[in-house]
Amino acid sequence: MIRIVPSGEVPWEDVEAIFDGSEPGKCRCQRYKVKGWMWRDSTFDERYAAHESQAARGSGLVAYVDGEPAGWVAVEPRCDYAKLLDLPVPWKGRSEDKDDDGVWAVTCFVVRKGFRRQGLTYELAAATVEHAR
């Protein structure tokens, strides 16, 4: 059974379990939040603290499979992603207000080892729509 919960309603230890030992555990879903080059312009401790704060604010969703923390998706107002707002490609041919906090962005999916290839990313993606509303 899959259950998806806003990250602000779950213990930080559950989010940690999803990221433990994974490649995304190094960037902590901060790729589009850190202006400049993430590896030069931030430390792991800064990214870790920012991710913990992001999760506590409910700016993500956590998926549980049979009660076990299994997946994460970062979803919050687009204007909270400083680097995303500065990239030229997403804005080519568009003239909307980048600072519109009513437009949300999904920037990161992580599925814990042992829970991959079960369609969990699709479930998380679908849940972001209602969460953003």
Side-chain angles (χ1 to χ4, degrees):
M1 181 176 122
I2 297 172
R3 181 174 62 99
I4 299 176
V5 182
S7 60
E9 299 174 15
V10 305
W12 172 243
E13 293 76 24
D14 288 0
V15 177
E16 275 290 88
I18 296 164
F19 281 79
D20 186 38
S22 69
E23 191 64 27
K26 296 175 184 173
C27 71
R28 305 306 298 203
C29 290
Q30 301 306 301
R31 165 78 170 92
Y32 295 105
K33 292 183 150 295
V34 176
K35 285 190 144 209
W37 190 45
M38 181 177 58
W39 305 115
R40 177 194 64 213
D41 297 329
S42 69
T43 66
F44 173 79
D45 290 341
E46 289 168 337
R47 293 188 302 273
Y48 184 94
H51 184 220
E52 187 173 14
S53 174
Q54 178 183 13
R57 286 191 319 272
S59 295
L61 298 173
V62 175
Y64 290 87
V65 175
D66 297 328
E68 287 291 317
W72 157 273
V73 60
V75 54
E76 59 188 318
R78 179 180 62 193
C79 58
D80 290 344
Y81 292 102
K83 185 165 185 167
L84 181 64
L85 299 179
D86 286 343
L87 293 174
V89 173
W91 304 103
K92 187 174 180 151
R94 296 166 71 181
S95 61
E96 69 215 61
D97 179 7
K98 291 181 181 182
D99 295 321
D100 181 351
D101 64 359
V103 178
W104 284 45
V106 175
T107 59
C108 183
F109 288 91
V110 178
V111 176
R112 187 176 176 189
K113 195 173 186 177
F115 295 95
R116 297 177 185 153
R117 298 195 174 278
Q118 299 177 27
L120 194 54
T121 301
Y122 297 107
E123 297 282 341
L124 282 164
T128 64
V129 176
E130 188 58 38
H131 183 70
R133 283 191 182 129

